[in-house]
């Protein structure tokens, strides 16, 4: 069964850092592109970042470019999101999702809550 | 960036009836559109991709249609478990992938 489980969320002060992890099981991670997507009550669903199967190519939303870094360790079946210089507006539930070759997302993890507040 | 607009924001329908949800893009999508269902406390679940292809395990009462920049998700004969929020997403031109703001389907 294909399964994604995020971890690493929590409360952090503005300007702080956090690293999210996503553990994949039930499929070979190296066969798939992956993305991070976040959700807030105010802005809804917002795609954050994408990484190619080998990790050589990455893309970011303008809102996080230069502050967030996506990476992966296929040997550990894991995806990561390093978030630096966090802002209040980065507060959201962060989901990892399998990216079906530059298209739709299936499946999604259960999400991890990141709260940026002083 | 392609802007996705869903309507209505909230749709009230009785169980057993048909629901029709709309999604409009700011430009043509070449059918590169997906639909998701989200229930409270859960992650979004893929329903439809390629504008009209049901994902694995999705019941036949869910159907997608449309072309160009106008798309529709139809749920025939609503079941209790179908009341949720529905989102559309375009993947024709990216980055960024973009989502609609959602339609909440509630029980009438």
């Amino acid at each position: 069964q294909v399964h994604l489980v995020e971890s690493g969320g929590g409360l952090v002060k503005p300007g702080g850092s956090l690293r999210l992890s996503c553990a994949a099981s039930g499929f070979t991670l190296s066969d798939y592109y992956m993305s991070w997507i976040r959700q807030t009550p105010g802005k809804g669903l917002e795609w954050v970042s994408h990484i190619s199967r080998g990790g050589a190519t990455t893309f970011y939303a303008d809102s996080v470019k230069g502050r967030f870094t996506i990476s992966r360790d296929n040997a550990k079946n894991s995806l990561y999101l390093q978030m630096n210089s966090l802002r209040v507006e980065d507060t959201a539930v962060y989901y990892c999702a399998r990216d079906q070759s530059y298209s739709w997302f299936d499946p999604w993890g259960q999400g991890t809550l990141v709260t940026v507040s002083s | 960036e392609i802007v996705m607009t869903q309507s209505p924001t909230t749709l009230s329908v009785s169980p057993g009836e048909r629901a029709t949800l709309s999604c409009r893009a700011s430009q043509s999508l070449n059918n590169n559109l997906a639909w998701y269902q989200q229930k409270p406390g859960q992650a979004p679940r893929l329903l439809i991709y390629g504008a009209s292809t049901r994902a694995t395990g999705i019941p036949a009462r869910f159907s997608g249609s449309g072309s160009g920049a106008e798309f529709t998700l139809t749920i025939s004969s609503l079941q209790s478990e179908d009341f949720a929020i529905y989102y559309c997403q375009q993947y024709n031109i990216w980055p960024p992938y973009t989502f609609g703001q959602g339609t909440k389907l509630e029980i009438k």
Side-chain angles (χ1 to χ4, degrees):
Chain A
Q1 183 180 3
V2 175
H3 207 46
L4 297 169
V5 179
E6 301 92 338
S7 60
L11 174 63
V12 62
K13 289 181 167 52
S17 298
L18 214 53
R19 188 195 197 206
L20 305 183
S21 298
C22 171
S25 60
F27 68 102
T28 303
L29 186 64
S30 58
D31 287 345
Y32 291 89
Y33 302 94
M34 297 293 292
S35 278
W36 287 96
I37 300 156
R38 66 186 181 184
Q39 184 172 33
T40 63
K43 291 192 69 177
L45 290 166
E46 180 186 20
W47 167 80
V48 172
S49 184
H50 159 105
I51 188 167
S52 61
R53 286 172 290 199
T57 302
T58 58
F59 296 99
Y60 298 92
D62 287 345
S63 57
V64 307
K65 201 172 294 182
R67 300 187 298 122
F68 290 11
T69 302
I70 190 172
S71 63
R72 63 194 296 163
D73 186 334
N74 289 335
K76 294 183 177 179
N77 291 317
S78 292
L79 174 73
Y80 306 102
L81 186 68
Q82 177 66 43
M83 303 186 296
N84 298 331
S85 303
L86 281 161
R87 305 168 180 168
V88 171
E89 55 265 34
D90 294 319
T91 295
V93 174
Y94 284 74
Y95 297 99
C96 65
R98 196 169 69 175
D99 184 330
Q100 300 294 327
S101 187
Y102 305 105
S103 54
W104 58 91
F105 304 107
D106 181 47
W108 301 48
Q110 87 290 348
T112 187
L113 176 62
V114 172
T115 303
V116 185
S117 174
S118 55
Chain B
E1 173 177 324
I2 296 179
V3 177
M4 306 298 292
T5 303
Q6 291 185 243
S7 60
T9 300
T10 304
L11 182 62
S12 299
V13 183
S14 300
E17 294 189 341
R18 173 189 298 255
T20 302
L21 291 68
S22 297
C23 176
R24 173 180 293 180
S26 57
Q27 58 186 275
S28 178
L29 298 183
N30 297 308
N31 284 354
N32 292 319
L33 180 102
W35 288 95
Y36 301 88
Q37 175 194 67
Q38 187 177 33
K39 297 180 181 180
Q42 296 184 17
R45 176 176 74 140
L46 177 71
L47 297 176
I48 301 284
Y49 61 89
S52 61
T53 302
R54 277 189 304 277
T56 302
I58 301 303
R61 64 180 182 272
F62 290 90
S63 63
S65 63
S67 62
E70 301 274 352
F71 299 90
T72 299
L73 175 69
T74 301
I75 312 169
S76 63
S77 190
L78 278 162
Q79 307 297 302
S80 58
E81 61 266 29
D82 299 336
F83 293 95
I85 300 176
Y86 292 84
Y87 296 94
C88 59
Q89 174 234 332
Q90 70 83 21
Y91 49 92
N92 191 53
I93 294 179
W94 70 277
Y97 298 106
T98 49
F99 295 85
Q101 84 282 9
T103 290
K104 182 179 181 181
L105 181 57
E106 63 176 28
I107 300 175
K108 187 175 182 180

